[in-house]
Amino acid sequence: MSVRKAILGIVAAGGVAYGGTVAYLTHFDHETAPAPAGAGVDAVSATALNVLREARCDYCHAAKVELPFYFKVPVANQLMNRDRDQGLRHFRVEPVIEALQTGKVPGEEAMARIEEVVRQNRMPPSLYLLMHWHARMSTEQRDAVLSWIAQERREHYATPGVASRFAAEPVQPVPESLPVDANKVALGQRLFFEKKLSENGELNCASCHSLQHAGMDGLVTATGIFGQKGPINDPTVFNAALNKSQFWNGRAATLADQAAGPVMNPLEMGSHDWNAVADRLRADPTYVTDFQTAFGSADINQDTITAAIAEFEKTLLTPDSRFDQYLKGDDTALNTQEKHGYELFKNIGCSGCHTGASMGGQAFEVMGLEGDYFAARGGAITDADKGRFTVTHQQQDMERFKVPNLRNVALTAPYFHDGSVKTLDGAVRDMARYQTPDHDISDQDVADIVAFLNTLTGKYQGQTLTLEQPGAQ
């Protein structure tokens, strides 16, 4: 009998200690939570912020935060730090919290990532909830977050012409056009095909970004001046204007910055200085006239050359795909398999990164988020494999890349930054395996997603893109 009492006493003491710890953590979580929404922030956004504050998403997804005491306890500290490392690797919540606190417009990819985990009920994780009871999201709280996302998409990201029922979707139709200056476009188009930009007069922008080949070259890595091979796969130039930054590592903030890179790159167009490039253009009097018309000045230099090319690239949109027609209200534009493929695309988590009108280009993600892609691929890790790290030199950006656009993806093989995957179904399998929690998906699911991706091929100058686009220069 005394043994039984002792056991019950231990259990009771443990229960009291556990309950006291939970009570302490509840108090701590509330006292140290991020600030609530400021004055003027709408009720829907303020409610969504309160859900994130209650769940304390910032514990694992914010770099600078006051942590509970158990983060300092041996063993537990190691486990918690591992969780935080993974949390920071997967998602940073600071920009979202700031947007909710101040009424700023949140980023598309951030909302898509939150939508993904909320719909799949993957956050907060079970081990965390064991000590933070109050953080378990109710159905009402999840609905509040999803309502905020829908509101922001409808107000700030819905493409003109989208059907009302699809205005809050993570994917939007490609816009028909962007505002441009016609004179700069005409000059930029001429420069895009101008071989005088290269040192040997044999290459132009279209050499690697052929408008007859879906805006890329179809090679594993690009071939530059004197037959030299570049280190990385060429992304398509179509819809690049919808990206937040350019290049796989995001080193160019604008289209003009991007246009400048290949001209001076010794492996690409191989020119050595912009004055020499400008001199070659000035030797043609018609260029002097064109620059005068476009810029009100005959000054030919890096800034005017790249600004004109960027203006032309803003016109390289490919709207009116079958999927766009579906988003604009034509239910017959997709068949049953293709519609199911789109639902799988969202449910598996693909839309958490491939979001917006271009279905990519809005943020950077680790290649191998849920599995070691590079170990499976094999071979040495190159500078190109380091991704965004080569720009920021922050360890958290190692192997992190700009999410590629999926528009016209059926035409842009080979896939990934290293061009290592030759087929679209292979790319879908690898993305599921290395980027989503589902890892291995069925052959039928792959086929359905591929069927959906094939509906993303749009039109350029009124004609559906093919690998031999009629009328393109």
Side-chain angles (χ1 to χ4, degrees), residues 12 15 33 36 63 69 93 120 187 240 257 272 287 317 345 361 372 401 413 422 429 452 455:
F69 73 90
V93 76
Q120 296 178 2
L187 174 58
D257 292 340
H272 299 292
Y287 265 121
L317 302 178
F345 182 84
D372 196 335
F401 299 87
K422 312 303 181 189
R429 290 181 191 280
F452 158 64
T455 73

Side-chain angles (χ1 to χ4, degrees), residues 209-373:
H209 298 287
S210 172
L211 304 190
Q212 294 177 308
H213 202 285
M216 39 82 74
D217 57 14
L219 303 175
V220 174
T221 61
T223 300
I225 193 168
F226 307 126
Q228 297 179 96
K229 296 299 294 182
I232 202 163
N233 183 258
D234 273 351
T236 178
V237 73
F238 281 120
N239 304 304
L242 304 177
N243 293 341
K244 278 192 170 182
S245 61
Q246 307 298 328
F247 294 120
W248 283 100
N249 61 8
R251 65 185 181 274
T254 67
L255 285 172
D257 292 340
Q258 186 279 326
V263 177
M264 292 294 129
N265 191 311
L267 295 180
E268 297 185 58
M269 299 172 79
S271 289
H272 299 292
D273 70 82
W274 282 100
N275 288 330
V277 172
D279 286 341
R280 292 197 290 269
L281 296 179
R282 287 191 198 99
D284 182 342
T286 63
Y287 265 121
V288 176
T289 301
D290 287 350
F291 274 87
Q292 177 70 46
T293 301
F295 292 98
S297 166
D299 193 8
I300 301 176
N301 55 43
Q302 175 183 345
D303 291 342
T304 53
I305 292 169
T306 58
I309 294 173
E311 199 74 359
F312 169 61
E313 290 186 347
K314 291 178 186 177
T315 70
L316 299 181
L317 302 178
T318 60
D320 206 27
S321 67
R322 287 199 293 120
F323 183 59
D324 285 348
Q325 294 168 24
Y326 173 69
L327 291 177
K328 291 181 177 181
D330 182 0
D331 282 337
T332 66
L334 303 189
N335 62 34
T336 300
Q337 182 187 25
E338 292 160 348
K339 291 176 183 176
H340 183 242
Y342 177 48
E343 292 306 312
L344 286 172
F345 182 84
K346 293 187 289 183
N347 293 339
I348 288 173
C350 309
S351 63
C353 295
H354 295 285
T355 189
S358 59
M359 302 178 70
Q362 306 307 305
F364 301 91
E365 291 297 341
V366 172
M367 185 63 168
L369 198 59
E370 302 290 347
D372 196 335
Y373 167 80

Side-chain angles (χ1 to χ4, degrees), residues 110-234:
M111 291 192 297
R113 293 295 301 277
I114 292 172
E115 179 183 46
E116 173 194 342
V117 299
V118 167
R119 289 196 185 281
Q120 296 178 2
N121 199 19
R122 288 199 281 112
M123 290 290 163
S126 298
L127 185 59
Y128 175 79
L129 293 174
L130 187 64
M131 301 300 292
H132 303 262
W133 295 356
H134 66 91
R136 186 180 302 277
M137 289 188 189
S138 66
T139 299
E140 291 75 14
Q141 287 174 314
R142 294 180 184 278
D143 287 345
V145 173
L146 296 176
S147 294
W148 163 68
I149 292 170
Q151 169 185 278
E152 296 302 301
R153 285 176 175 161
R154 288 181 179 277
E155 290 186 5
H156 303 292
Y157 293 113
T159 299
V162 67
S164 177
R165 67 182 185 276
F166 292 133
E169 284 291 294
V171 181
Q172 291 292 302
V174 172
E176 295 289 333
S177 63
L178 296 174
V180 292
D181 180 299
N183 291 325
K184 291 178 182 177
V185 168
L187 174 58
Q189 181 172 11
R190 185 179 178 188
L191 291 168
F192 189 84
F193 296 99
E194 179 55 75
K195 293 183 178 180
K196 292 175 183 176
L197 298 185
S198 66
E199 183 69 15
N200 65 355
E202 295 181 3
L203 299 175
N204 55 25
C205 300
S207 298
C208 291
H209 298 287
S210 172
L211 304 190
Q212 294 177 308
H213 202 285
M216 39 82 74
D217 57 14
L219 303 175
V220 174
T221 61
T223 300
I225 193 168
F226 307 126
Q228 297 179 96
K229 296 299 294 182
I232 202 163
N233 183 258
D234 273 351

